[in-house]
Amino acid sequence: MKTIRATLALIVGLLITGTCAIVMLGGSLVFLLPNLITFGFIKNPFAFTPWLWNETMYFVCYRCLLGVRVEVHGAIPERQHIFSVILSNHATTFAMPLGFWIGTRFIHRRPIVYQKSENLWDPVIGIPMWIGRMSIFFDRNDRPKALRMISRGLRRIAGHYGAVTINPDGTRPTEEKIAVSRRAHRTHTDDCAWMQHTCMWRAGGTLTTVRALREQGINTRVVVYAHGFAVPIVHIRDMVGQKYHVTFRELISFPLDEIDAQRVMRGLCRFANIELHAWR
């Protein structure tokens, strides 16, 4: 029965994803020229397609077909008229829509998504998001260039969006990737929960974002949430009937000094790691 439910959820999820990608790409192309000519005055109504995708994937695939229930631990940050920098650990591949759903459901419906430049030509999460101006792409192999791309992208969206979301690069369950990730993040947190949760945040992107926004007179808050299943997920059928856990933490004032920012980020990584261990 679990295999049948998992297979059905996969098929339906692919159909939903394909449909939303086509709608977002086609609709955004129609509104791209008017948006450019009017300097952003004419909005792109298809920018809400990712939110619709999140909601549909959650209620149809995860909740109805797989029987997954989201359990929130602690307080949920209030929705505020202040720019939100959203940080979350990278979910296991099969749960990525769940991770994005939490951010759009509880914090902001239409955040800008930071993505690595390798995703730019992806037909689902790259091209439609670029055409719709819903992502900022950066080269993670060139740090100075990446910081410039982030700052330039934030200047472009200022006044049009109210949030950005940052996820570390996902780690697939291979021993080599786990070892590399743990060496890279040994100063961030003492240990990792398990193979799907080896990547945590670094201070660079968050600090650049906060600095760039404050230079434009935009107040910011940083909202962090740790999320994941209580058991390792290897196959989609492993998610059937499971609870998906999430805990939030909010920082109204993020330090602008790099050393202080690194210290705060290490504390957030420890917080996330403790939560990921507690759900096991």
Side-chain angles (χ1 to χ4, degrees):
M1 181 60 72
K2 285 187 176 182
T3 302
I4 295 175
R5 294 176 68 177
T7 302
L8 185 58
L10 176 61
I11 294 173
V12 173
L14 290 174
L15 290 173
I16 293 172
T17 301
T19 301
C20 287
I22 292 171
V23 169
M24 181 167 62
L25 178 59
S28 296
L29 280 172
V30 171
F31 280 88
L32 179 60
L33 184 59
N35 181 269
L36 292 174
I37 293 176
T38 61
F39 299 97
F41 180 77
I42 296 179
K43 308 299 182 184
N44 176 16
F46 292 92
F48 281 93
T49 309
W51 169 81
L52 180 62
W53 173 75
N54 284 331
E55 292 288 316
T56 308
M57 287 290 292
Y58 171 69
F59 285 105
V60 175
C61 295
Y62 290 100
R63 187 164 183 174
C64 296
L65 296 178
L66 296 176
V68 175
R69 294 293 184 271
V70 173
E71 182 174 321
V72 179
H73 303 268
I76 299 175
E78 295 182 2
R79 290 183 181 269
Q80 299 182 14
H81 295 291
I82 183 173
F83 199 101
S84 298
V85 181
I86 306 169
L87 306 179
S88 73
N89 58 291
H90 201 294
T92 181
T93 302
F94 299 132
M96 285 180 61
L98 269 176
F100 287 123
W101 177 82
I102 291 168
T104 58
R105 180 71 170 183
F106 295 108
I107 305 173
H108 196 280
R109 287 187 177 182
R110 193 164 59 101
I112 284 288
V113 180
Y114 282 1
Q115 294 198 60
K116 55 188 179 183
S117 56
E118 293 92 323
N119 289 346
L120 180 57
W121 299 108
D122 188 289
V124 176
I125 62 174
I127 296 175
M129 297 291 282
W130 178 75
I131 292 295
R133 295 190 166 193
M134 289 169 273
S135 278
I136 294 176
F137 295 89
F138 61 91
D139 184 357
R140 56 181 181 165
N141 296 318
D142 187 337
R143 189 173 186 272
K145 182 179 178 181
L147 299 181
R148 289 195 302 270
M149 294 172 74
I150 290 174
S151 297
R152 185 168 62 248
L154 289 171
R155 287 194 296 270
R156 174 172 56 83
I157 69 168
H160 301 290
Y161 288 85
V164 296
T165 181
I166 306 174
N167 298 283
D169 187 29
T171 300
R172 289 164 292 283
T174 65
E175 292 297 331
E176 180 182 1
K177 289 181 179 293
I178 293 169
V180 170
S181 183
R182 284 181 172 166
R183 286 197 299 270
H185 294 80
R186 63 184 181 274
T187 60
H188 286 229
T189 185
D190 298 330
D191 196 6
C192 303
W194 55 76
M195 62 179 68
Q196 286 90 350
H197 298 131
T198 55
C199 280
M200 294 295 181
W201 313 288
R202 300 180 184 180
T206 306
L207 181 58
T208 299
T209 301
V210 173
R211 282 177 173 174
L213 291 169
R214 290 188 183 176
E215 287 175 359
Q216 300 176 60
I218 300 175
N219 293 326
T220 61
R221 65 168 179 170
V222 175
V223 180
V224 179
Y225 62 92
H227 57 102
F229 288 101
V231 295
I233 302 298
V234 180
H235 305 286
I236 297 178
R237 62 175 179 269
D238 298 333
M239 293 190 291
V240 174
Q242 295 291 337
K243 286 184 178 180
Y244 198 77
H245 303 268
V246 57
T247 305
F248 292 95
R249 176 168 290 187
E250 181 181 17
L251 285 78
I252 297 298
S253 179
F254 191 84
L256 298 180
D257 178 76
E258 186 169 356
I259 295 178
D260 291 339
Q262 291 175 350
R263 174 181 51 79
V264 169
M265 199 61 68
R266 284 195 293 270
L268 293 176
C269 289
R270 284 193 292 271
F271 147 75
N273 195 63
I274 290 172
E275 293 298 321
L276 294 172
H277 273 291
W279 303 330
R280 297 181 65 176

